[in-house]
Amino acid sequence: MTRDDEFCNKAQAFEAADDIPTHAHLGNTIGDVINRRFGRRDLLRGALGVGAATALFGSTAILSASEARAGGQGAARFRFDEIASGNDETHHIAPGYRAQILLRWGDPITAGAPEFDPLNQSVEAQKKQFGYNNDYVGFVPLDAEGTRGVLCVNHEYTNEEVMFPGLGRQDKVAFAGMTRELAEIEMAAHGGTVVEIARGADGQWSVVLDSPLNRRITALDTLMAIDGPAAGHPRMQTTADPSGTRVIGTLNNCAGGITPWGTYLMAEENFHGYFWTSKLDFEGKPDLGGNPAAASLKRYGAPGMWYNWGQHHPRFDIDREPNEVNRFGWIVEVDPMDPAALPVKHTALGRFRHEGAESIVNGDGRVVVYSGDDARFDYLYRFVSAGKVTGDKAADMRLLSEGELSVARFNDDGTLDWMPLVHGQGPLTAANGFDGQADVLIDARLAADLLGATPMDRPEDVQPAGDRVYVMLTNNTRRKPDQVNAANPRPENTFGHIVELTVPGGDHAAAHARWDILVKCGDPAVAEVGALWNPATTGHGWFASPDNCAVDADGRLWISTDQGSGWGKTGKSDGLYALETEGEGRGTSKLFFRCPVGAELCGPYFTADQRTLFLAVQHPGTDGTKDYAPFGRESTFEDPATRWPDFRDGMPPRPSVVVVTREDGGRIAS
Ligand code: FEO
Ligand code: CA
């Protein structure tokens, strides 16, 4: 049994598996959509860029990149000199800035951790060392000046072909070389890292190795609590945990968030890929015939069989432990100030492939958490707490235990309806298979289907800021022309787009909002792409596949990208872009940092003083390296496309957190 052989590496399998079409046929032509959407408000707000102009007026409205540069319109609110796009073995940053490698896969995290030895990695070492594929990065300050703090980093997944000597892609060989020891190293390299860091007099950051706060959270051995309406439900009970309230580990932690009360949220994304079955059909795919949970499993794509952990740990085998899969796909809350406290999986926020979990305190004191379900044709969700933020951390840590989860319907007139996922309301009844709120939350996707949520082009990070919410929609090449809707207006959406919500009166708990398309990604110089940018965007500044984002202290939006194996369609590595959202410059993008070949860029996270920016370079040397002409093949441990960041013989590429500061210590891009 293999993962899908058409993909070069795990990252590509991950992308492709985000694909369970469940959308309704909306029957819109793209012309209908453009007429409805670009006839009015976008023009009035001055946001009409190249792509929309092309759609409305034909390709002669397109500006070339050089014309756009010469035009120079758009307020230069981001003060830095844009770098050139491209792709090579290392990273690049805007002039006048430093990019310091702070933490690499294998770096010691706790006192007594061994130094990294890539030829002799062990489970015990990995449990004390920085994990693999750093995605989310958050920072919780420990002093008023913000010169000390706790860094919280997610470790999303592992790439065995560049982690272990002599192994290669194991999914292509039925996991033949994947021993229990290697599987457990993978499990220990997943999860999260909480580590104290400090800024020295020279402005450089370093790890405080003997801090009592330092800890690794893993898929292998970290005990977690389950709370909320689904906790203890029979579908959450397993042989090891008859209570249905305790679970070991967390899986595929992609993005996340720092709550207003200073805890760290880890989003469990592609959890389905870690589950296993021995029951296969004639094509070698999981055979769910006769499985009483087949509808749920199918809707979540489980078991995905991307890892063979289920051969060594029966809890990941759905034939042997059918409910374990229900205990993943949640938002996990971690108190980074209390290493002894159990992380908590909050079932009130629903179970789906959570990309992230960014929150905001609403005007009435309730906390609102936004989260995208990153799969093609899946949905945007919002959680509103029942209680209000008090300022007492222990009390606030109960806010995610109770509240209302809703899913978004984007109407073609630019309005949005939040539809509550509440048992007994509308179709969410026993007649449709939902016996209570636990069923609604465990099968949030099935519930959202029945409510008629809008199928989106892979919702990634969702970032609230003020009365706005930025929604990254990374791409969806499987959307057919008759499946477009106003909020997802391009068929075969290769390059993605960004939707901006405006909540009425700043009320993030309101039942409705308005929405606009901020940019449609891709090359504005190619009419067929149908991109939408402010014409001031240069040939280096436009991007594709927005993934993570951050809003800095000045309220400015920054986007990091993940094109996966598709980077060859743009000729650009992934990177960090500064995107104007206001005034005449709205829709103008500038390239600030770019990744080495084969990497995606995650983070980003700014400290409150805006003098430090944390970036996470994930899976360097792996993604799309066949299209990288100087290399042109798949990477292995012995033969990687880059040895970033060490560039030492024998040292494989290492996912790393990068700290960006200005050489003169000033505020970034100011
Ligand atoms: Fe893990 Fe949706 O990126
Ligand atoms: Ca992501």
Side-chain angles (χ1 to χ4, degrees):
M1 173 64 199
T2 66
R3 296 196 295 255
D4 225 325
D5 276 331
E6 68 185 278
F7 308 113
C8 293
N9 62 36
K10 199 160 293 177
Q12 292 166 34
F14 271 49
E15 291 158 30
D18 294 330
D19 179 31
I20 301 177
T22 57
H23 51 281
H25 257 250
L26 297 181
N28 281 320
T29 68
I30 195 164
D32 294 338
V33 167
I34 289 166
N35 288 336
R36 278 197 296 276
R37 292 297 301 129
F38 295 115
R40 302 177 301 103
R41 286 183 307 128
D42 295 57
L43 283 163
L44 294 174
R45 290 183 59 164
L48 188 68
V50 174
T54 306
L56 286 173
F57 308 122
S59 60
T60 52
I62 286 280
L63 293 176
S64 72
S66 57
E67 286 168 329
R69 263 195 300 277
Q73 62 264 57
R77 291 184 64 231
F78 290 100
R79 294 218 181 105
F80 66 88
D81 293 331
E82 182 171 63
I83 60 171
S85 56
N87 202 2
D88 60 34
E89 286 187 35
T90 193
H91 65 271
H92 299 266
I93 191 160
Y97 289 84
R98 289 187 293 213
Q100 174 203 353
I101 308 297
L102 179 67
L103 281 160
R104 303 161 296 184
W105 167 49
D107 280 346
I109 292 302
T110 58
E115 288 300 319
F116 182 52
D117 177 357
L119 292 175
N120 295 288
Q121 182 62 320
S122 70
V123 180
E124 285 311 305
Q126 183 63 75
K127 281 161 64 171
K128 299 172 185 158
Q129 295 169 339
F130 197 60
Y132 207 76
N133 277 347
N134 33 227
D135 195 299
Y136 179 75
V137 183
F139 177 79
V140 183
L142 287 167
D143 61 17
E145 297 75 38
T147 56
R148 283 174 58 235
V150 177
L151 202 68
C152 304
V153 184
N154 280 354
H155 300 294
E156 186 178 17
Y157 67 100
T158 49
N159 295 79
E160 71 276 4
E161 72 275 19
V162 285
M163 287 176 73
F164 304 120
L167 206 65
R169 278 279 300 280
Q170 285 297 297
D171 56 307
K172 290 186 167 179
V173 293
F175 301 97
M178 208 66 211
T179 62
R180 182 186 176 99
E181 168 85 359
L182 291 177
E184 291 187 351
I185 293 172
E186 288 184 331
M187 294 166 78
H190 278 67
T193 291
V194 176
V195 64
E196 185 175 336
I197 60 173
R199 190 173 70 197
D202 61 354
Q204 299 283 286
W205 289 84
S206 58
V207 169
V208 182
L209 249 189
D210 58 358
S211 169
L213 300 177
N214 296 356
R215 68 188 292 198
R216 281 297 324 284
I217 292 164
T218 76
L220 178 67
D221 64 353
T222 304
L223 182 64
M224 306 198 166
I226 300 170
D227 89 347
H233 188 272
R235 294 180 66 193
M236 301 293 278
Q237 298 169 1
T238 63
T239 310
D241 173 37
S243 77
T245 61
R246 291 286 184 275
V247 59
I248 301 290
T250 180
L251 292 174
N252 205 256
N253 305 94
C254 194
I258 299 294
T259 63
W261 48 94
T263 59
Y264 156 39
L265 301 182
M266 310 170 76
E268 296 190 315
E269 195 190 25
N270 292 302
F271 63 94
H272 62 292
Y274 299 82
F275 288 88
W276 188 263
T277 180
S278 301
K279 295 179 182 162
L280 305 178
D281 65 16
F282 63 94
E283 287 183 309
K285 300 222 165 87
D287 182 359
L288 299 175
N291 188 316
S296 176
L297 290 165
K298 275 184 86 164
R299 185 64 180 83
Y300 284 89
M305 306 183 74
W306 299 349
Y307 295 85
N308 75 330
W309 300 357
Q311 291 185 311
H312 304 291
H313 288 256
R315 69 191 181 104
F316 293 114
D317 182 338
I318 64 160
D319 308 326
R320 295 157 83 179
E321 199 59 78
N323 285 343
E324 187 74 352
V325 69
N326 295 333
R327 292 141 60 87
F328 294 86
W330 304 103
I331 294 296
V332 184
E333 183 174 18
V334 177
D335 182 357
M337 301 307 164
D338 184 0
L342 294 190
V344 180
K345 296 198 180 187
H346 288 298
T347 64
L349 278 73
R351 176 173 168 264
F352 48 91
R353 293 189 208 160
H354 285 279
E355 168 69 21
E358 293 287 359
S359 57
I360 191 166
V361 180
N362 201 37
D364 61 9
R366 289 179 290 175
V367 68
V368 178
V369 184
Y370 290 93
S371 193
D373 184 348
D374 181 9
R376 297 181 180 103
F377 304 107
D378 258 292
Y379 308 134
L380 172 67
Y381 294 82
R382 177 191 76 176
F383 170 85
V384 181
S385 65
K388 297 179 180 180
V389 175
T390 64
D392 172 53
K393 187 175 172 186
D396 293 342
M397 283 185 66
R398 293 193 285 274
L399 287 172
L400 303 186
S401 305
E402 189 188 346
E404 188 172 86
L405 181 69
S406 303
V407 67
R409 179 169 59 209
F410 289 78
N411 302 309
D412 284 0
D413 65 357
T415 60
L416 177 152
D417 307 319
W418 288 110
M419 301 181 293
L421 277 74
V422 176
H423 181 255
Q425 289 189 12
L428 305 183
T429 60
N432 288 316
F434 299 96
D435 286 339
Q437 187 62 14
D439 283 331
V440 169
L441 295 168
I442 292 169
D443 285 321
R445 281 184 163 187
L446 292 169
D449 292 344
L450 288 181
L451 293 175
T454 300
M456 308 299 287
D457 286 346
R458 292 186 55 197
E460 301 262 18
D461 258 9
V462 184
Q463 181 68 55
D467 68 348
R468 310 285 175 88
V469 185
Y470 300 103
V471 183
M472 307 298 115
L473 297 162
T474 198
N475 57 58
N476 179 358
T477 52
R478 308 216 178 166
R479 189 178 290 277
K480 305 274 193 304
D482 65 352
Q483 294 172 329
V484 296
N485 54 59
N488 301 274
R490 285 190 290 185
E492 295 176 34
N493 183 7
T494 305
F495 304 108
H497 58 290
I498 298 174
V499 164
E500 177 192 63
L501 314 187
T502 304
V503 301
D507 182 5
H508 286 270
H512 307 281
R514 297 197 65 83
W515 65 268
D516 270 312
I517 288 182
L518 176 57
V519 293
K520 290 191 283 180
C521 304
D523 188 347
V526 178
E528 294 73 28
V529 167
L532 168 67
W533 298 102
N534 188 303
T537 304
T538 75
H540 300 296
W542 61 265
F543 58 81
S545 296
D547 188 343
N548 303 118
C549 65
V551 172
D552 69 17
D554 289 338
R556 304 175 304 179
L557 183 61
W558 299 75
I559 315 281
S560 67
T561 64
D562 175 16
Q563 303 166 97
S565 57
W567 78 271
K569 293 173 185 163
T570 65
K572 301 177 171 199
S573 69
D574 284 315
L576 184 71
Y577 296 83
L579 180 61
E580 302 279 353
T581 57
E582 301 298 330
E584 286 189 3
R586 181 177 162 88
T588 307
S589 175
K590 280 172 74 175
L591 176 56
F592 181 77
F593 174 95
R594 68 176 165 94
C595 284
V597 61
E600 72 173 278
L601 189 65
C602 302
Y605 196 94
F606 288 89
T607 55
D609 65 5
Q610 212 166 291
R611 294 174 199 275
T612 301
L613 162 64
F614 298 103
L615 297 174
V617 173
Q618 189 178 152
H619 58 74
T622 67
D623 226 347
T625 56
K626 276 185 172 173
D627 292 333
Y628 176 57
F631 189 71
R633 55 193 182 274
E634 287 183 30
S635 286
T636 62
F637 180 93
E638 290 76 15
D639 176 35
T642 177
R643 293 189 185 275
W644 187 91
D646 301 284
F647 294 106
R648 258 176 36 216
D649 285 350
M651 184 61 79
R654 299 162 84 183
S656 302
V657 170
V658 176
V659 188
V660 173
T661 51
R662 234 168 82 171
E663 284 170 358
D664 64 5
R667 288 166 67 87
I668 291 169
S670 298

